[in-house]
Amino acid sequence: QVQLVESGGGLVQPGGSLRLSCAASGMVYVMGWYRQAPGKERELVAGFTSGGGTNYASSVKGRFTISRDNAKNTVYLQMNSLKPEDTAVYYCNGQHLLTRVNYWGQGTQVTVSS
């Protein structure tokens, strides 16, 4: 059974940092992190490319870093220099290794405010 569980969200002041974790179980490969702010569509924040690289939304490039610990089957999103506009629910997204069906975690709230 596939499960993606995000953690690490919270309230942080502008300029602060947070590290999100996505713990995966089952036959799933975590593809990346998305976020959805109130009234806006879900958008890709950071992801892994098919060639083994990474890509980032222009709004977070240089501030966010996605990484993976294969031994723990966990993907991280290190977020530095946070801005109020980074406030959103952050979701990790994965794909079943055999069926290619997409899966989402339950999301974790990130609020950047003074």
Side-chain angles (χ1 to χ4, degrees):
Q1 183 175 356
V2 170
Q3 195 171 18
L4 300 173
V5 179
E6 301 102 333
S7 62
L11 172 65
V12 63
Q13 292 187 340
S17 298
L18 283 174
R19 189 178 79 155
L20 305 183
S21 300
C22 173
S25 59
M27 295 184 66
V28 63
Y29 181 83
V30 178
M31 304 293 291
W33 286 93
Y34 288 71
R35 68 186 180 188
Q36 188 165 20
K40 294 188 176 182
E41 293 187 355
R42 192 171 296 188
E43 63 174 356
L44 175 68
V45 176
F48 296 102
T49 66
S50 58
T54 55
N55 63 320
Y56 297 90
S58 57
S59 59
V60 308
K61 200 170 293 185
R63 300 187 297 122
F64 291 10
T65 304
I66 189 171
S67 61
R68 179 191 301 277
D69 184 335
N70 289 324
K72 296 181 179 180
N73 209 13
T74 300
V75 171
Y76 303 97
L77 184 67
Q78 178 66 44
M79 306 186 295
N80 298 328
S81 303
L82 282 161
K83 304 175 181 180
E85 50 263 43
D86 294 318
T87 295
V89 178
Y90 285 70
Y91 300 89
C92 66
N93 170 260
Q95 193 175 73
H96 194 278
L97 292 171
L98 298 179
T99 66
R100 304 299 186 197
V101 171
N102 261 328
Y103 289 86
W104 296 93
Q106 83 286 354
T108 185
Q109 176 71 47
V110 171
T111 302
V112 184
S113 175
S114 55

